[in-house]
Amino acid sequence: MGDQYINNKQLYNDIVKYKELYAFAKSNNKRLPQIPDSIGKGILLICNNMARRGNYRNYTWLEEMISDAVLACIKAVDNFDPVKSGNPYGFFSRIAWNAFLGRIAREKRENYVKIKNYQNLNAHDPDIVTCNEFTDEVIYDFESTMETKKNKKKSLKRGIEKLYDE
């Protein structure tokens, strides 16, 4: 594989070989093989290249996003089915994308909790300013996202109940 680009055919062939070795070892009660370096390098390239995208590159927790994505992809290697798909690049890209979004959601929730705790701890001291435009925006964004999710769940539940009643 090149320095910055993924050779999808080569990655596919490497996964097929790995899965054959894995199946052989498993059926013969032998030690399961490690994921080859070529697959690991491909996954690392996918995750690093995704981190260069404009919608991700300015996050302060970018290294954690990459680490989460690599871990999720490594865990999913055995789930890739060469019979169903010949596109491991797309498979691992989707997994990495979801890992990036998961990290962003966790970090937003963590920022929200930190800000709310700080406000609650200092609510009784009038000399300490606990709000500003940034903290207000973090709180508003997180709470409105949670409200939207809550409403979607209620709507889905009502829709299921309506179907059940009919």
Side-chain angles (χ1 to χ4, degrees):
M1 292 185 208
D3 282 355
Q4 289 187 325
Y5 298 101
I6 308 302
N7 182 336
N8 202 29
K9 282 185 179 179
Q10 184 62 48
L11 183 58
Y12 176 82
N13 292 335
D14 291 343
I15 291 174
V16 169
K17 287 178 194 172
Y18 165 72
K19 291 191 79 73
E20 288 171 356
L21 288 172
Y22 186 90
F24 177 79
K26 192 170 184 176
S27 66
N28 292 310
N29 291 326
K30 302 228 179 207
R31 186 169 180 230
L32 299 177
Q34 285 186 325
I35 296 171
D37 286 348
S38 58
I39 295 173
K41 287 176 185 176
I43 288 170
L44 192 58
L45 275 173
I46 290 169
C47 297
N48 282 326
N49 287 345
M50 187 170 292
R52 290 188 190 108
R53 291 176 53 103
N55 49 337
Y56 292 130
R57 69 173 158 232
N58 293 324
Y59 281 101
T60 55
W61 51 82
L62 189 60
E63 290 299 317
E64 289 86 352
M65 292 165 69
I66 293 169
S67 297
D68 290 350
V70 169
L71 180 62
C73 288
I74 293 296
K75 285 181 177 180
V77 167
D78 292 334
N79 295 336
F80 180 75
D81 188 352
V83 175
K84 289 183 181 179
S85 172
N87 185 9
Y89 174 81
F91 178 79
F92 291 119
S93 292
R94 176 53 58 191
I95 291 168
W97 183 275
N98 289 336
F100 276 39
L101 295 179
R103 171 56 67 174
I104 291 168
R106 283 190 300 278
E107 292 293 338
K108 284 183 176 182
R109 181 175 50 248
E110 204 169 290
N111 282 339
Y112 171 79
V113 169
K114 286 178 192 175
I115 291 168
K116 289 301 267 186
N117 281 338
Y118 181 74
Q119 287 179 342
N120 289 338
L121 285 172
N122 297 305
H124 304 295
D125 191 345
D127 295 332
I128 296 177
V129 177
T130 59
C131 297
N132 60 37
E133 289 177 15
F134 173 76
T135 59
D136 290 345
E137 185 177 340
V138 169
I139 291 169
Y140 175 78
D141 287 347
F142 185 81
E143 288 178 349
S144 63
T145 300
M146 296 308 293
E147 188 64 30
T148 301
K149 286 181 181 180
K150 185 177 169 183
N151 290 338
K152 281 184 182 178
K153 280 185 180 179
K154 282 182 183 177
S155 176
L156 180 62
K157 187 176 179 181
R158 273 188 251 123
I160 291 171
E161 289 172 349
K162 189 176 181 182
L163 283 173
Y164 182 74
D165 289 341
E166 293 175 355

